[in-house]
């Protein structure tokens, strides 16, 4: 009798956790992002939430290297306080957007209060036409863990579905 209950429970539980995991990954990736052309040397930013942010370089081409040796300065406009920006090139965090542009995280910084900030690039860099910077909250390991949760939930759901179909076909219910 217990074996008749397990496949549908696996199917329903796997589907439930799969939908919850997909909803969570959408929430993480749809956070506030600030995009602006890389050729601008100064950019006024309004960061609403204190925390860790990443600066990613976006290039609209499939070929060519992405400059990863860019230095930045983050300055709070009201108090003229400078925050340290560390280089954090993460090639494993590279991704593509829906238009096919490559996005590579190149730096990160931490702010302790919500306020207006100014981003400056230090030095002279030859940016290509269409290159942009994206500033967004750092997701860290959350996205990585949720991808494994999605894979595991999908596996459980498929297992429950296959076992349920086999149960129906063999008339074991």
């Amino acid at each position: 009798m217990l074996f008749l209950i397990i496949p549908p429970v696996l199917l329903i539980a796997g589907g439930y956790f799969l939908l919850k995991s997909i909803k969570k990954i959408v929430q993480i990736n749809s956070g506030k992002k600030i995009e602006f052309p890389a050729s601008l040397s100064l950019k006024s930013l309004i960061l609403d939430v204190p925390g860790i942010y990443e600066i990613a370089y976006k290039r609209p081409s499939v070929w060519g290297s992405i400059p990863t040796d860019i230095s930045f300065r983050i300055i709070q406009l009201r108090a003229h306080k400078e925050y340290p920006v560390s280089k954090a090139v993460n090639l494993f965090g590279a991704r593509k957007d829906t238009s096919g542009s490559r996005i590579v995280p190149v730096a990160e910084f931490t702010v302790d209060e919500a306020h207006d900030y100014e981003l400056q690039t230090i030095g002279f860099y030859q940016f290509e036409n269409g290159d942009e910077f994206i500033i967004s909250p750092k997701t860290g390991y959350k996205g990585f863990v949720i991808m494994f949760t999605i894979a595991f939930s999908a596996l459980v759901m498929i297992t429950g579905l296959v076992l349920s179909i086999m149960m129906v076909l063999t008339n074991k219910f």
Side-chain angles (χ1 to χ4, degrees):
M1 182 67 182
L2 181 65
F3 293 114
L4 297 176
I5 297 173
I6 291 176
V9 168
L10 287 176
L11 175 65
I12 292 169
Y16 174 76
F17 287 114
L18 180 64
L19 290 176
K20 281 189 69 88
S21 300
I22 290 172
K23 183 179 176 183
K24 186 70 174 176
I25 197 84
V26 167
Q27 286 175 348
I28 287 174
N29 290 328
S30 66
K32 183 180 177 186
K33 294 181 174 89
I34 302 169
E35 291 188 38
F36 56 94
S39 59
L40 292 177
S41 60
L42 300 175
K43 177 66 179 171
S44 178
L45 310 168
I46 299 173
L47 301 177
D48 300 336
V49 179
I52 302 173
Y53 288 85
E54 78 174 10
I55 302 172
Y57 194 91
K58 178 180 175 183
R59 177 161 282 174
S61 65
V62 178
W63 309 108
S65 63
I66 289 185
T68 57
D69 59 343
I70 303 171
S71 298
F72 298 98
R73 286 177 44 184
I74 296 287
I75 301 169
Q76 184 185 32
L77 291 178
R78 181 183 61 181
H80 297 291
K81 179 181 176 185
E82 185 172 341
Y83 290 89
V85 179
S86 60
K87 291 183 183 180
V89 178
N90 183 3
L91 296 177
F92 292 115
R95 53 199 181 269
K96 291 190 178 204
D97 63 2
T98 54
S99 65
S101 298
R102 292 180 299 153
I103 302 171
V104 176
V106 294
E108 63 183 40
F109 62 94
T110 304
V111 294
D112 54 1
E113 64 179 315
H115 208 276
D116 293 349
Y117 294 89
E118 182 178 318
L119 174 70
Q120 299 176 352
T121 55
I122 301 171
F124 177 75
Y125 300 97
Q126 188 68 29
F127 298 115
E128 292 184 10
N129 190 19
D131 288 356
E132 294 182 344
F133 288 121
I134 300 173
I135 297 177
S136 61
K138 186 173 171 113
T139 58
Y141 66 91
K142 292 179 208 170
F144 191 69
V145 170
I146 291 177
M147 292 305 291
F148 279 114
T149 306
I150 289 173
F152 182 72
S153 299
L155 183 66
V156 169
M157 188 180 95
I158 290 169
T159 302
L161 178 66
V162 169
L163 290 176
S164 295
I165 290 172
M166 288 175 57
M167 221 172 52
V168 168
L169 290 177
T170 59
N171 295 321
K172 294 287 183 182
F173 58 98

